[in-house]
Amino acid sequence: MVAKRQNIELWVSKITAMELPADDPRVLDLINRAADQLKTKSKEESQRHIRNEGELELQKKLSLTSEGLSDEEKENINKEIYKHQVKQKIWKTAQEIRRATYYSKPSHPYGNIFSESAISSIAKSRSKATVNVDGDNLVRDNRRTKIYHPGKKELTLQDAKVLIGIHKLWEESGKQKEFEFTIYSLAKAMNRDTGGKTYNEIWESLEVLQDSKFEFTFYYDKGMIDSLDRINILQAIGRRDRNSTFKIMFSDPIYRSLQSGAIAYLSLAILEDLKTNTAQNLYLFLPAQIAQGITRWPLDEIALLMGTKGNRPAKKKEIVKEACENMKEISLLDGYDLHEDESGATFLEIKPSSLLLLSSNSVKQAQQQQIQLAFPI
């Protein structure tokens, strides 16, 4: 039976009721258990809570300097200070647990569908308007990948995260072509809450992923160029009731690719810590590129891959610079450079960190182990 999640206030109440020092092993055990339930929270959110609790602690400490306080009033203020200190410790420990997952083997696999382009747009959400037409409609063309959807729905970062979560469950279920799962288990694999909003978002993503078709152009080792007919990633989603167990079947080319070991690893914790959609899309795209020794791209190509539309060159540069700064903040990049060549074209060149190279090395190892594939994914 899964233990019920408790909010931080309940954990703090339990800890303070024990009336033990903060370094007592029993207190530390409860702090660690509380932190484990908050490890899915982003770095930005955790830091906000730490700052707020620190400011409240300082205010309480200043109030202790007031004249005329009774011993009882001082005791009550010290209890409040202790609560704020415990909350800070919980949030800090939660981030330590989250950070530790960055350096262990990342547990979220995906087929190399991200290796040649970012499949999702930087748009925050998809248009709710649908177009009921027959056949395939081109919704994304960035020269590397074409994506079609009958209702003209473009993939978002949410859909990419759902795809990563599906591959996580696929790996845990024994790596079969066909396997079953629930939206609850998928939400847990994605480190998401299990409320109604999450269910609706995942349900929508599953439908869009099933109906989307992909067309790739790729290169063999000897330089031969070939193209792939339009294929689905997910061939079928059975039992189309959102409250039931789903049955997923990968299409034949995707499954053969997965069987061969064409899998790289990403951390959804890192993905969620990145503040901008451009930074998140770049993180999905970079590991397989770095594994191929590619660390430099034309800015226009990067902008196209990210799905930026109609932006001036200066704006594109600003967006990509912001994303790179964000990746430096959480130690994905050791450095980057945006520079112009003799023709005046702007290029992005990055220096990947050891953290980013962890995912890239996973790609390399998979590439070294697999035989030549008939499919690039």
Side-chain angles (χ1 to χ4, degrees):
M1 184 175 178
V2 178
K4 185 178 179 181
R5 292 179 65 87
Q6 302 180 59
N7 65 39
I8 191 170
E9 298 297 338
L10 289 175
W11 285 110
V12 173
S13 295
K14 283 185 177 182
I15 291 168
T16 54
M18 297 169 73
E19 297 185 346
L20 294 170
D23 58 353
D24 186 279
R26 287 165 288 183
V27 172
L28 294 176
D29 177 62
L30 288 180
I31 286 175
N32 287 330
R33 286 164 59 187
D36 189 66
Q37 291 195 350
L38 294 171
K39 67 185 177 184
T40 61
K41 302 300 182 181
S42 70
K43 179 181 177 181
E44 187 176 23
E45 181 179 352
S46 295
Q47 287 179 333
R48 184 175 69 251
H49 284 291
I50 292 168
R51 284 195 304 271
N52 290 343
E53 296 300 332
E55 290 170 359
L56 292 171
E57 178 192 354
L58 179 60
Q59 290 173 15
K60 292 295 181 182
K61 285 182 175 179
L62 289 173
S63 69
L64 277 176
T65 62
S66 301
E67 295 182 1
L69 290 175
S70 66
D71 289 342
E72 182 180 357
E73 287 172 327
K74 289 180 181 179
E75 183 180 353
N76 287 334
I77 292 173
N78 279 318
K79 285 181 179 178
E80 291 299 315
I81 290 172
Y82 181 64
K83 286 181 180 180
H84 295 307
Q85 291 173 339
V86 167
K87 288 181 182 179
Q88 289 176 74
K89 179 63 176 175
I90 289 172
W91 283 109
K92 288 177 181 177
T93 303
Q95 280 303 295
E96 289 170 3
I97 295 171
R98 182 183 179 88
R99 185 75 177 173
T101 66
Y102 289 7
Y103 295 99
S104 62
K105 178 184 177 183
S107 58
H108 301 278
Y110 62 91
N112 277 354
I113 191 163
F114 298 113
S115 64
E116 288 301 322
S117 76
I119 65 169
S120 53
S121 168
I122 63 171
K124 292 184 178 179
S125 62
R126 188 170 24 242
S127 172
K128 292 183 179 180
T130 59
V131 181
N132 295 318
V133 294
D134 295 327
D136 298 335
N137 289 283
L138 181 65
V139 294
R140 190 153 169 75
D141 182 359
N142 54 30
R143 292 196 296 266
R144 294 170 180 250
T145 305
K146 291 182 180 179
I147 304 176
Y148 301 82
H149 189 278
K152 294 187 176 180
K153 290 187 176 182
E154 188 168 15
L155 293 177
T156 67
L157 278 162
Q158 166 65 19
D159 304 327
K161 293 170 187 176
V162 168
L163 183 59
I164 293 170
I166 288 173
H167 282 279
K168 163 70 172 172
L169 294 178
W170 170 79
E171 188 173 63
E172 291 178 347
S173 69
K175 302 182 179 181
Q176 300 300 308
K177 180 178 181 181
E178 187 177 306
F179 66 100
E180 296 185 357
F181 66 92
T182 62
I183 289 187
Y184 176 84
S185 65
L186 181 52
K188 297 294 285 184
M190 296 168 61
N191 283 336
R192 292 285 303 277
D193 63 65
T194 52
K197 181 180 179 182
T198 298
Y199 269 54
N200 290 334
E201 288 177 350
I202 291 177
W203 170 258
E204 182 182 5
S205 290
L206 288 172
E207 292 194 308
V208 174
L209 284 167
Q210 178 184 240
D211 293 335
S212 296
K213 291 184 179 180
F214 297 78
E215 186 177 295
F216 296 85
T217 300
F218 62 100
Y219 299 83
Y220 287 107
D221 287 341
K222 294 180 180 180
M224 184 188 302
I225 300 177
D226 202 350
S227 62
L228 184 64
D229 291 336
R230 297 173 197 176
I231 62 167
N232 294 90
I233 299 175
L234 305 178
Q235 189 165 302
I237 299 177
R239 305 181 194 178
R240 298 176 68 90
D241 175 355
R242 69 180 70 189
N243 297 314
S244 299
T245 299
F246 287 85
K247 181 179 289 185
I248 286 286
M249 180 184 294
F250 288 112
S251 61
D252 288 340
I254 295 293
Y255 185 58
R256 282 198 290 268
S257 177
L258 292 172
Q259 280 184 310
S260 73
I263 297 174
Y265 289 85
L266 288 170
S267 166
L268 279 174
I270 293 177
L271 192 61
E272 294 294 345
D273 276 354
L274 291 166
K275 298 174 186 176
T276 71
N277 291 334
T278 304
Q280 291 188 24
N281 252 344
L282 276 172
Y283 175 58
L284 293 175
F285 168 67
L286 289 178
Q289 289 282 293
I290 293 168
Q292 299 172 57
I294 304 170
T295 56
R296 183 175 182 267
W297 308 266
L299 179 62
D300 285 344
E301 181 177 357
I302 289 293
L304 186 61
L305 290 172
M306 296 303 101
T308 58
K309 298 171 182 176
N311 283 320
R312 295 175 288 104
K315 184 63 176 178
K316 291 178 184 177
K317 190 173 182 178
E318 179 185 332
I319 291 171
V320 172
K321 182 179 179 180
E322 182 184 13
C324 290
E325 286 292 337
N326 190 192
M327 287 190 280
K328 280 184 65 178
E329 287 174 12
I330 65 170
S331 305
L332 276 176
L333 296 182
D334 286 340
Y336 71 94
D337 185 32
L338 284 162
H339 58 271
E340 293 185 0
D341 66 2
E342 300 81 4
S343 68
T346 303
F347 287 81
L348 168 66
E349 188 164 359
I350 65 165
K351 184 179 181 182
S353 68
S354 57
L355 176 57
L356 184 54
L357 288 170
L358 284 176
S359 292
S360 301
N361 289 338
S362 297
V363 182
K364 281 184 179 177
Q365 291 165 7
Q367 289 173 343
Q368 290 168 359
Q369 292 169 1
Q370 71 189 45
I371 59 174
Q372 178 63 49
L373 298 177
F375 299 93
I377 301 176

